[in-house]
Amino acid sequence: MSSSKPRRVSPLHALPLVMLLGCSTTSPTPTPAAAVDARPAPEGPAMKPSSDALAQVTAELVAKHGEAQRARIERGVAQVALLWRAEDGDLAAFAREQFVSAPQVLDATFARLERLFEQLDGHMLELGRETQWYTDLDLGPLLPVEPLVASYDPSSHVTEDLFRAKVGFVVLLNFPLTTLEERARQGATWTRRQWAEARLAGRFSMRIPADVQQASSREVAAANLYIAEYNVWMHHLVDERGERLFPKGLRLISHWNLRDELKADYADPRGHEKQRTIVQVMERIVTQTIPAAVIDNPRLDWNPFTNAVTVAPPQTVEADAPSREARADATREADVRYARMLAIFRAERKLDAYAPVAPTRIARSFELGRELPEARVKALLTQVLESPLVPRVAAEIQSRLGRKLEPQDVWYAGFKPGAKRPESELDALTRKRYPTAEAFAKDLPRILQGMGFSAQKADWLAARIRVDASRGAGHAQQALRRGDFARLRTRVEKGGMDYKGYNIAVHELGHNVEQTFGLYGVDHTLLTGVPNNAFTEALAFVFQARDLELLGQGRPTAESERERVLGDFWQTWERSGIAMVDMAVWHWLYANPEATPAQLRDAVVSISRDVWNRYFAPVLGGKDTTLLAVYSHMISYPLYLPDYPLGHLIAFQIEEHLSRKGPLGAEFERMATYGSVTPDLWMTHATGAPVSAEPLLRATEAALKARP
């Protein structure tokens, strides 16, 4: 699984799509003006007109446009008033000029704005991609200016500028905002036009000042760069005898490559030793006891068990070693990991006052971003974590390994077809086939046909995707304007794309295919995409699960299907744990807003140990293990981790549907072109049932009973 970079797009598109819509002729039940008024006003510069002034302008508009328009007028005026400021001028004059009652004029206004926002969103994304070009891609050493360029968000002023130009207020005056509860309850009865209007209004549900938005973007960019360069040179991990377990030149980014190497080591004769070493490295990263000097430095040897640091003998240093100081300094890394996380939290807190519909990052993440309440997400994850199936699957793993399970077995990879093959063999295969990113790009049509798309459709998709060599682990970046290209980023080492990079590339290709269908195939560009990141992860998992098959290394059988089910369950269990840690940490941050990096570090360590001891230690041992906090998303992608277990649950439902309906290509396109409606509505359209853990649990029960 890759890093699957969350979309960094114009705030126009990135604003949580929380509000629902209605048009002048077939609108859902409008939110009463009093209900809109009841939403808490933001702290800060917003100045709400008096109730008498609002009543007066409402009466004027009703007199002009007729009693039939009263509900729309009351709602629109209240929505504008919520974000209107004194410097915006005369609200009454604005409302008299811009309220639209004629259906044909409202239709034309909607069409004009939809076209405008495709262009604004698309071009702003392209500009943002350019600012991050050198920090995202493996194009050699960074110039000192690059982190500064990457921290600049060219779109940060756009939403505020649109409010100042009154465009945002035109939207709020004429199209309705609704709550998540209303959207979930009524959305199944809405037309596609109504859904598109909901997304149009939702982008103006908050009025965040440009400097506040820019500060948030700057902190996220800084954290991303910190993570992108957090490499461990594995040949320079030594034990007390000075022995090196890993090959020369192996450079692994934390956490993605470290975890994937650990998973690959199940097929290695000395894999158990290697895994324990990697676990120790991970623990040092989480607790910030890793020596700062050894990070991305192959000129030093490091024993992660004793924390001893020595200068690497010259003959062991890689020819392409970066320029680093060769000084044996064991001073631990300062609490940079947690300082980065804390900086993002504090930037997000400044946004809180300007988001009356969701006044915390937690609320914005679940209520607006996912459109799934946190309580429901937590219940789904707990259902997996506490399932009685966990010890039964663990018993099968223990039988296969012939030893007691240990903490690293949270990433057991033996259910995957081909997992018994040494990864070195797969590395040789992928490096030969894909010496460069360009070679992978040229192979896209064949890969896509192997996924079940027609030759014509495969060529059409490949022509709209570009492949780049990533500085970090890899990610996908969508296009938001027809005519632009989705970008597939994965790590390509100097000797070619190893299996880890290939596995990530196939995952990212799933994102890109979903993104391309969602842009070109959707009926309204305001509905571009899928409900949330969990859904794009799910569709990417569908691709990733077939990576070995695409290499000609595994064909589906009844036994491989059983293995797939058990593997999906085990991965969902693990990722439910990391999501629980992520959520608990953010609640701790809001309860302790003045915390220092050291205090946050201690809290993360404590929370990860508590979650481990509750759900994982009874199965895997290792009391007080901190492994669940190693995921780099916690540092640079706030509250992203719940999307992974949700993505697995969604992917399993999709796979179950594909096994009945197929073929994959046509069904994937049908799902991906439905657009960004609510999660349950999308899933019901895709598979016939809302989001649930039950399909995975039922299939796991059946797989255990079918044990040979």
Side-chain angles (χ1 to χ4, degrees):
M1 186 182 71
S2 76
S3 65
S4 305
K5 185 177 185 178
R7 297 178 294 183
R8 187 210 185 199
V9 302
S10 157
L12 293 174
H13 196 274
L15 278 178
L17 304 176
V18 181
M19 302 301 173
L20 220 15
L21 78 131
C23 67
S24 59
T25 55
T26 57
S27 65
T29 304
T31 300
V36 176
D37 270 357
R39 293 170 178 145
E43 302 170 13
M47 181 175 290
K48 186 176 179 180
S50 69
S51 57
D52 288 344
L54 296 180
Q56 182 177 347
V57 69
T58 298
E60 289 182 37
L61 292 174
V62 171
K64 177 180 179 180
H65 296 280
E67 189 65 31
Q69 295 291 326
R70 177 178 290 278
R72 288 189 64 239
I73 291 167
E74 289 179 344
R75 181 205 63 223
V77 169
Q79 289 174 176
V80 168
L82 186 68
L83 298 178
W84 194 268
R85 298 172 182 167
E87 63 265 29
D88 293 323
D90 186 343
L91 187 154
F94 167 79
R96 284 192 292 268
E97 179 181 344
Q98 293 294 336
F99 181 77
V100 178
S101 59
Q104 66 272 23
V105 179
L106 191 63
D107 289 346
T109 301
F110 170 82
R112 176 69 182 92
L113 291 172
E114 182 168 45
R115 181 183 181 280
L116 168 68
F117 287 127
E118 178 188 350
Q119 297 304 312
L120 274 176
D121 289 349
H123 286 296
M124 285 298 166
L125 182 144
E126 292 166 56
L127 288 172
R129 187 171 65 216
E130 288 299 321
T131 65
Q132 293 187 317
W133 191 259
Y134 288 94
T135 55
D136 276 355
L137 302 187
D138 188 10
L139 299 172
L142 291 174
L143 297 173
V145 73
E146 295 300 346
L148 302 179
V149 174
S151 70
Y152 169 61
D153 181 357
S155 66
S156 62
H157 288 260
V158 174
T159 299
E160 176 58 22
D161 287 347
L162 288 170
F163 272 114
R164 290 183 181 277
K166 305 297 193 295
V167 175
F169 289 120
V170 169
V171 171
L172 293 176
L173 183 63
N174 290 287
F175 302 101
L177 300 175
T178 65
T179 64
L180 175 59
E181 188 277 331
E182 288 171 320
R183 188 163 60 260
R185 176 167 47 84
Q186 301 176 10
T189 67
W190 293 353
T191 65
R192 298 289 289 177
R193 162 69 181 267
Q194 287 174 292
W195 269 109
E197 288 185 0
R199 298 323 193 190
L200 174 61
R203 66 179 57 221
F204 293 106
S205 63
M206 298 183 290
R207 188 178 184 180
I208 300 171
D211 59 337
V212 175
Q213 183 66 52
Q214 181 66 50
S216 177
S217 298
R218 185 166 55 247
E219 297 302 344
V220 169
N224 273 322
L225 182 58
Y226 168 72
I227 292 299
E229 298 193 317
Y230 207 109
N231 294 295
V232 178
W233 291 76
M234 303 301 284
H235 187 59
H236 298 279
L237 300 179
V238 297
D239 60 21
E240 291 182 349
R241 301 185 302 274
E243 187 174 5
R244 304 172 191 274
L245 293 174
F246 298 92
K248 194 172 185 178
L250 184 61
R251 181 187 63 139
L252 301 182
I253 195 170
S254 175
H255 74 281
W256 297 281
N257 290 165
L258 286 172
R259 177 206 56 199
D260 291 347
E261 175 66 24
L262 187 153
K263 292 165 74 172
D265 286 336
Y266 281 102
D268 191 294
R270 300 191 67 180
H272 197 202
E273 295 173 81
K274 290 182 174 182
Q275 289 174 336
R276 286 180 166 177
T277 301
I278 293 172
V279 165
Q280 191 62 29
V281 172
M282 289 177 165
E283 294 267 8
R284 295 285 188 191
I285 291 171
V286 171
T287 59
Q288 293 273 250
T289 55
I290 181 173
V294 306
I295 300 169
D296 201 22
N297 189 353
R299 301 180 188 279
L300 296 175
D301 289 341
W302 172 42
N303 182 331
F305 295 94
T306 65
N307 237 11
V309 178
T310 56
V311 176
Q315 67 274 17
T316 69
V317 177
E318 285 76 0
D320 61 344
S323 178
R324 299 286 188 270
E325 186 177 8
R327 185 168 66 88
D329 184 355
T331 304
R332 76 172 185 91
E333 182 187 19
D335 294 319
V336 180
R337 183 178 181 87
Y338 301 103
R340 290 297 182 199
M341 188 176 183
L342 202 56
I344 290 176
F345 164 71
R346 287 175 176 158
E348 286 289 332
R349 274 195 83 207
K350 292 179 181 178
L351 271 67
D352 292 351
Y354 301 95
V357 294
T360 68
R361 181 64 178 86
I362 299 168
R364 292 193 290 279
S365 177
F366 289 95
E367 300 291 326
L368 305 189
R370 292 186 180 89
E371 297 184 298
L372 286 170
E374 184 185 13
R376 183 176 173 200
V377 172
K378 190 172 182 179
L380 285 168
L381 304 187
T382 302
Q383 189 177 2
V384 174
L385 287 167
E386 295 182 346
S387 170
L389 298 171
V390 173
R392 294 173 60 188
V393 177
E396 178 154 339
I397 296 173
Q398 183 165 303
S399 175
R400 295 185 184 197
L401 293 176
R403 59 167 172 79
K404 285 188 65 175
L405 298 187
E406 298 177 2
Q408 70 268 17
D409 298 318
V410 73
W411 290 301
Y412 176 72
F415 292 122
K416 186 174 181 178
K420 295 180 175 59
R421 293 189 60 179
E423 188 158 327
S424 58
E425 294 181 17
L426 296 174
D427 287 342
L429 182 61
T430 56
R431 283 173 177 146
K432 181 178 180 181
R433 184 173 292 189
Y434 305 120
T436 62
E438 290 76 15
F440 187 82
K442 289 180 180 178
D443 202 31
L444 286 181
R446 182 198 66 82
I447 292 172
L448 290 165
Q449 288 184 60
M451 293 295 299
F453 295 100
S454 68
Q456 181 180 12
K457 187 67 70 174
D459 288 342
W460 181 86
L461 287 165
R464 287 160 177 79
I465 297 170
R466 296 292 182 266
V467 181
D468 304 312
S470 176
R471 183 179 296 276
H475 62 266
Q477 190 175 82
Q478 68 189 132
L480 290 175
R481 178 186 63 82
R482 287 166 292 186
D484 189 21
F485 303 99
R487 314 297 299 206
L488 188 161
R489 273 80 182 265
T490 193
R491 181 169 282 204
V492 183
E493 301 290 357
K494 295 187 183 303
M497 186 185 294
D498 61 18
Y499 174 68
K500 293 181 186 67
Y502 166 77
N503 177 263
I504 288 172
V506 176
H507 179 97
E508 304 306 344
L509 180 59
H511 286 300
N512 290 148
V513 171
E514 171 263 305
Q515 293 159 355
T516 302
F517 280 139
L519 176 61
Y520 287 90
V522 75
D523 49 357
H524 285 284
T525 54
L526 287 165
L527 295 176
T528 293
V530 288
N532 58 47
N533 281 320
F535 284 79
T536 190
E537 289 299 343
L539 292 169
F541 289 146
V542 170
F543 267 57
Q544 190 175 14
R546 291 159 173 79
D547 70 327
L548 288 173
E549 184 179 344
L550 293 169
L551 284 175
Q553 300 301 304
R555 299 294 178 187
T557 64
E559 178 56 25
S560 69
E561 174 61 16
R562 177 180 182 273
E563 297 279 295
R564 182 186 71 82
V565 170
L566 295 177
D568 282 351
F569 175 81
W570 197 250
Q571 285 189 81
T572 308
W573 179 61
E574 174 254 321
R575 284 165 186 141
S576 296
I578 63 174
M580 287 292 205
V581 171
D582 200 14
M583 290 187 288
V585 167
W586 272 84
H587 280 284
W588 186 92
L589 282 166
Y590 270 99
N592 299 273
E594 303 305 319
T596 65
Q599 289 170 329
L600 175 58
R601 178 199 68 216
D602 291 344
V604 171
V605 167
S606 177
I607 289 167
S608 61
R609 286 173 175 169
D610 288 346
V611 174
W612 182 272
N613 291 341
R614 179 173 182 179
Y615 298 112
F616 295 85
V619 179
L620 302 176
K623 185 176 183 294
D624 289 342
T625 289
T626 64
L627 289 181
L628 296 176
V630 77
Y631 274 64
S632 297
H633 305 72
M634 286 185 62
I635 311 309
S636 55
Y637 302 149
L639 277 171
Y640 186 80
L641 288 176
D643 288 328
Y644 281 126
L646 286 174
H648 279 290
L649 294 176
I650 294 164
F652 193 86
Q653 287 182 263
I654 292 172
E655 290 280 15
E656 186 179 57
H657 172 82
L658 291 173
S659 69
R660 297 193 307 267
K661 296 292 184 181
L664 184 149
E667 283 298 292
F668 194 102
E669 182 175 4
R670 181 183 67 83
M671 295 175 187
T673 54
Y674 195 56
S676 57
V677 296
T678 50
D680 285 334
L681 185 58
W682 191 97
M683 184 60 80
T684 300
H685 166 80
T687 70
V691 177
S692 172
E694 290 299 329
L696 176 59
L697 299 179
R698 285 196 305 268
T700 303
E701 175 77 33
L704 288 167
K705 289 180 178 177
R707 181 176 180 177

